[in-house]
């Protein structure tokens, strides 16, 4: 229910049974797009970019469970830093997946730096918004290519953030 099916410029919305009807449509090939109006808890349509309408006029769009993408931010603190023992708030850091055509899926981390989202299978570029790190921290690796395949239960990835090392001069006083 509540899925918009678009054939070229014509749209219909599915009913409670998941059915949508297009009237007076000619046989032929149509560009197909699916827009989910609600959160389907990790279920995504498996579809092609186009569909061929024949005399029967029926076509089916199966939905498949997405892949659970989760991970965290691992923070390597400088041990001689004045605030090294104080925990840092790692919340609200944007983690983004981008596919080959530019479609993005994003989520935000919690206070401990963990993230979770469900995405359809495919090839993606996984990235973290490193602009929030400032000059004090550096991200070890960003823009990581990953492939999530149909049937995968989940994928876990950690972003490693390192506090930049400081030059420390230690002096002994006395004997």
């Amino acid at each position: 229910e509540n899925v918009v099916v678009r054939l070229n410029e014509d749209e219909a919305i599915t009913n409670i049974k998941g059915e949508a009807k297009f009237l007076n449509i000619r046989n032929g090939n149509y560009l197909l797009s699916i827009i989910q109006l609600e959160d389907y808890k990790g279920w995504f349509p498996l579809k092609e970019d186009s569909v061929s309408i024949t005399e029967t006029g029926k076509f089916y769009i199966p939905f498949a469970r997405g892949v659970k993408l989760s991970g965290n931010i691992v923070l390597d603190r400088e041990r001689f830093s004045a605030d090294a023992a104080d925990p840092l708030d790692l919340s609200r850091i944007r983690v983004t997946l981008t596919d080959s055509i530019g479609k993005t899926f994003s989520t935000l981390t919690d206070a401990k730096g963990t993230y979770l989202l469900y995405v359809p299978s495919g090839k993606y570029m996984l990235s973290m918004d490193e602009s929030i790190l400032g000059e004090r921290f550096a991200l070890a690796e960003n823009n990581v290519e990953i492939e999530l395949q149909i049937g995968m239960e989940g994928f876990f990835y950690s972003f490693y953030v390192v506090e930049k090392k400081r030059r420390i001069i230690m002096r002994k006083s006395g004997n």
Side-chain angles (χ1 to χ4, degrees), residues 93-94 128-134 137-143:
I93 299 172
R94 183 170 299 282
M128 182 188 106
D129 178 14
E130 61 185 310
S131 67
I132 56 99
L133 297 177
F137 296 94
L139 184 57
E141 186 176 9
N142 204 5
N143 301 320

Side-chain angles (χ1 to χ4, degrees), residues 31-143:
L31 292 176
L32 172 67
S33 62
I34 306 297
I35 303 164
Q36 296 170 257
L37 298 179
E38 298 177 12
D39 180 12
Y40 287 96
K41 310 279 189 259
W43 289 88
F44 298 92
L46 290 176
K47 65 168 189 67
E48 299 296 325
D49 293 337
S50 63
V51 65
S52 178
I53 303 294
T54 61
E55 296 207 13
T56 63
K58 286 188 178 183
F59 65 94
Y60 298 93
I61 302 169
F63 276 63
R65 183 79 165 155
V67 179
K68 178 182 174 182
L69 175 67
S70 60
N72 61 355
I73 296 174
V74 177
L75 188 59
D76 182 11
R77 303 287 307 268
E78 170 62 50
R79 72 178 197 194
F80 295 113
S81 177
D83 61 350
D86 298 338
L88 288 179
D89 180 11
L90 298 174
S91 65
R92 299 180 309 277
I93 299 172
R94 183 170 299 282
V95 175
T96 305
L97 246 75
T98 307
D99 68 10
S100 60
I101 60 172
K103 185 173 182 177
T104 62
F105 299 90
S106 296
T107 189
L108 298 175
T109 59
D110 65 11
K112 293 182 180 181
T114 60
Y115 63 90
L116 169 71
L117 71 155
Y118 285 91
V119 294
S121 57
K123 291 183 181 183
Y124 295 97
M125 184 70 66
L126 175 63
S127 61
M128 182 188 106
D129 178 14
E130 61 185 310
S131 67
I132 56 99
L133 297 177
E135 294 183 18
R136 187 172 161 193
F137 296 94
L139 184 57
E141 186 176 9
N142 204 5
N143 301 320

